[in-house]
Amino acid sequence: MPRRGLVAGPDLEYFQRRYFTPAEVAQHNRPEDLWVSYLGRVYDLTPLAQEYKGNLLLKPIVEVAGQDISHWFDPKTRDIRKHIDPLTGCLRYCTPRGRFVHIPPQLPCSDWANDFGKPWWQRSYYEVGRLSAKSRSIRIINTFTSQEHTLEVGVLESIWEILHRYLPYNAHAASYTWKYEGKNLNMDFTLEENGIRDEEEEFDYLNMDSTLHTPAILLYFNDDLTEL
């Protein structure tokens, strides 16, 4: 593990998070910044949108920008759902929003180019990470500056990934010791693995507002300005 000043850890300049929350995906909802999620994965379709800019076949995809489109797919085959076309009696892709990029036309067509290789939904090139099935809130308190921020994070994210989320608020976040209830956190573990329980279900069971109590991680400065 390379060392960064007083803190051992990954090179966060090239660090890539594994998980994204639905709220994060929803922020990428424009043709020039177009993300979708399906079957537990998150995809950046911006290059596809640029390639087919102005093409009517892009319209159904733009309409669902920032959304989860798992219902488009057969989870067993990971292909677009199919049905029997009542017009031709043939097995066709099911596209209620209309035909979109890489979906063949309903009838034979001489101007349809099928030399694109794999359709976009089968290309790993567009994948940017996994979709967080569940997220939770965590407070991060800088004991040096008394600043406090609340982040929404995925339950399976490591503390390193949470630190990466926190960097916009504190570029020196890796120069702090991260603690919970006086104990140093294992940066490779999740919140739950570090003993920071998600008590949302218990609050719901008691008919209490879970936002009234959000666990807090305390950051202690190590006197090592490590800026990314």
Side-chain angles (χ1 to χ4, degrees), residues 97-112:
R97 287 180 172 269
R99 180 174 159 237
F100 51 81
V101 174
H102 296 167
I103 292 290
Q106 185 180 25
L107 299 172
C109 181
S110 61
D111 61 354
W112 183 62

Side-chain angles (χ1 to χ4, degrees), residues 44 73 149 164 227-228:
D44 180 0
F73 296 85
H149 297 88
H164 189 268
E227 186 169 0
L228 302 178

